[in-house]
Amino acid sequence: MNIKILQHNEFSLFAVYVLEDFLSEQENLLVTEEVKKCIQEDNLLTNKTNVHAEMTSWQSALKRENLEFFFKKVADMVMIIYKMREPNPNRAQELTFFDSWAMKHNKNDYTRNHIHGSTMFSGSYNCLVPSSDQFMFFPDFTDNVQMKSNQLIFFHGLAKHSVNKNSSHNPRYSLAFNMEIDS
């Protein structure tokens, strides 16, 4: 696993964390299949949000038993990074996912610039990215992240972000989420 960090300074928790090769190949295939099923069964928010693509309801992915291992792995990684950067790392804390949704970006689908609100962490897991010209742009950091398959990106919920159009004829599959840390 490789990690990259976009940040304003080395002390800030307000940063963008990019973890490549986050899951094993087999785990990524399982998550991708669950995301596809999720979208087939629930595409309630398609083109009704900042996501101009097929999208499930906000709680849809959290209800999938086959994704429990994924959310546990994300939570463990987020807590490790958080505790390494937090001034009081030994304090008892718990991370809670309060929503998660699946997306399928077909050709020319995109996500407009937006925020997720004041949640401690928001994120996106890119299951399957069909081309190398897919980027998540973070204007507050004046930087972008080249999206890749099997890549976890997480950031503070107030970090503005957008995703450019999918230029490929093949769909891009991803899973987004919001988390909060309770002390």
Side-chain angles (χ1 to χ4, degrees):
M1 178 179 350
N2 297 321
I3 184 168
K4 298 176 187 175
I5 303 174
L6 308 178
Q7 60 190 6
H8 297 293
N9 68 59
E10 66 271 17
F11 303 111
S12 178
L13 279 168
F14 187 67
V16 177
Y17 304 87
V18 182
L19 291 87
E20 296 176 355
D21 300 321
F22 180 65
L23 300 175
S24 71
E25 190 174 321
Q26 185 176 356
E27 290 171 328
N28 183 56
L29 287 172
L30 177 63
V31 172
T32 303
E33 289 308 309
E34 281 301 307
V35 165
K36 288 177 180 180
K37 289 177 193 174
C38 202
I39 291 166
Q40 287 172 350
E41 295 168 12
D42 169 13
N43 59 6
L44 188 65
L45 294 178
T46 296
N47 295 318
K48 294 181 181 173
T49 69
N50 292 307
V51 177
H52 290 269
E54 290 183 56
M55 179 178 159
T56 68
S57 58
W58 303 113
Q59 298 286 314
S60 188
L62 289 177
K63 297 174 183 174
R64 312 237 14 135
E65 284 184 30
N66 286 342
L67 291 177
E68 286 178 9
F69 83 93
F70 168 78
F71 291 114
K72 168 118 177 58
K73 196 163 188 171
V74 170
D76 290 346
M77 182 56 65
V78 169
M79 287 305 294
I80 289 168
I81 291 172
Y82 176 77
K83 285 183 175 281
M84 289 175 64
R85 299 189 69 145
E86 210 261 332
N88 189 0
N90 297 318
R91 179 172 43 151
Q93 298 165 323
E94 185 177 321
L95 187 138
T96 305
F97 288 87
F98 59 89
D99 54 23
S100 180
W101 58 98
M103 296 168 286
K104 176 184 178 184
H105 285 77
N106 292 306
K107 183 170 176 64
N108 294 321
D109 287 348
Y110 63 97
T111 301
R112 286 189 308 205
N113 197 30
H114 67 287
I115 62 171
H116 288 212
S118 62
T119 180
M120 182 59 124
F121 290 108
S122 294
S124 176
Y125 177 70
N126 298 311
C127 309
L128 183 62
V129 179
S131 64
S132 62
D133 63 348
Q134 302 292 289
F135 292 91
M136 184 176 279
F137 182 62
F138 293 92
D140 295 334
F141 296 88
T142 60
D143 209 342
N144 60 39
V145 174
Q146 180 182 8
M147 296 169 67
K148 299 176 181 178
S149 297
N150 194 10
Q151 178 188 59
L152 175 65
I153 303 170
F154 64 93
F155 44 88
H156 192 280
L158 292 175
K160 294 176 192 161
H161 58 286
S162 61
V163 178
N164 66 325
K165 287 184 179 181
N166 180 7
S167 62
S168 174
H169 292 286
N170 298 316
R172 180 178 72 238
Y173 290 95
S174 58
L175 186 62
F177 49 83
N178 291 313
M179 305 171 279
E180 199 60 64
I181 293 179
D182 301 317
S183 298

